[in-house]
Amino acid sequence: YRAGLASACLSIYAFWPYIRDILANRTRPERASWLIWALLSAVSLLGQVYEGADRSLGFAMIQTAGTVIICGLTCWKTTQWAFKTEDSQVLPATAVGIWLWAEMESAAYSLFVTITMSMMGGLLTMKKAFVDPTSATWSTWAAFFVSALLAVVAIGGFDWLLLAYPLYVMVLSGGIMLCMAAGRVVQARRPEVAPEHRKQLTLSVMSFRPVGSPSASE
């Protein structure tokens, strides 16, 4: 019970520095990622309710509310509504995932689809965190990581269906922090490398293209 309560409290705190930095124009979220997460976190919450989650349920509820708030703030701060090329590829896949979730009777399959689609949004934020590490809030992702770890402890047993979502949040948060750290290392060691070149490098790795080959413009 204590681990579940601590997870919920830390998850509440995690959103605060991110919201504060958005309002102060220090954090520039990946809009498509937060739109995907706002929709899919609600799906995950419904899946956990269906499976009878109790002590870990507060974690999922706070995640859903927080992502919806940040998605709204991100859209409010957006001056250009057109999505980037890679975003326009991920968003339709997410829509298909939501349709699959609605058609599936198995909570296990729907949760798998939810996490897969959510990770697609996460890859967009990881790319952005590497290209522009100052555009993200480190403390938020660190708090999410620890909160998810506490949620795993709160479950208190090996139920992979209940463990799947907090474990996914740990992987996502850890990946974003690693990308931020890698981006900062590149900036420190090679300050002459422009963000545009780091972006091209990231896109090349994600699409398995050699650096310098033509890539889709945003």
Side-chain angles (χ1 to χ4, degrees):
Y1 175 78
R2 291 180 179 178
L5 180 60
S7 171
C9 292
L10 188 57
S11 189
I12 292 173
Y13 163 77
F15 287 104
W16 161 241
Y18 207 87
I19 292 172
R20 177 201 62 202
D21 288 351
I22 292 175
L23 295 174
N25 295 319
R26 288 192 295 266
T27 287
R28 297 175 297 280
E30 172 60 52
R31 182 160 46 101
S33 294
W34 286 99
L35 176 58
I36 291 170
W37 291 336
L39 294 173
L40 295 184
S41 59
V43 173
S44 176
L45 174 61
L46 292 175
Q48 292 198 45
V49 171
Y50 181 82
E51 287 299 314
D54 47 15
R55 289 174 295 177
S56 63
L57 194 57
F59 172 75
M61 292 175 64
I62 294 167
Q63 288 286 315
T64 301
T67 52
V68 169
I69 291 171
I70 291 180
C71 179
L73 288 174
T74 302
C75 293
W76 175 53
K77 286 284 187 176
T78 298
T79 57
Q80 183 177 358
W81 282 89
F83 284 100
K84 299 188 292 291
T85 301
E86 58 267 29
D87 296 347
S88 63
Q89 295 170 348
V90 171
L91 289 172
T94 305
V96 171
I98 294 175
W99 175 78
L100 287 174
W101 171 82
E103 293 295 321
M104 288 178 178
E105 296 182 358
S106 169
Y109 289 136
S110 65
L111 184 60
F112 171 77
V113 171
T114 299
I115 290 175
T116 301
M117 296 299 103
S118 186
M119 182 55 78
M120 293 176 68
L123 291 175
L124 296 176
T125 291
M126 289 181 190
K127 183 208 75 173
K128 190 173 187 294
F130 176 72
V131 173
D132 187 7
T134 61
S135 68
T137 302
W138 177 277
S139 58
T140 287
W141 297 110
F144 280 148
F145 183 90
V146 177
S147 176
L149 178 61
L150 290 172
V152 170
V153 174
I155 292 172
F158 186 76
D159 186 331
W160 71 268
L161 199 56
L162 297 181
L163 286 170
Y165 186 70
L167 287 176
Y168 153 71
V169 174
M170 289 179 63
V171 172
L172 173 67
S173 303
I176 291 173
M177 288 190 291
L178 286 175
C179 288
M180 291 177 66
R184 288 171 178 171
V185 168
V186 171
Q187 284 184 342
R189 293 186 177 181
R190 299 182 63 189
E192 73 280 2
V193 178
E196 290 77 11
H197 181 76
R198 291 198 303 275
K199 177 180 177 181
Q200 183 184 14
L201 174 62
T202 309
L203 290 172
S204 298
V205 171
M206 292 177 66
S207 58
F208 303 100
R209 291 194 305 268
V211 176
S213 62
S215 60
S217 59
E218 293 189 1

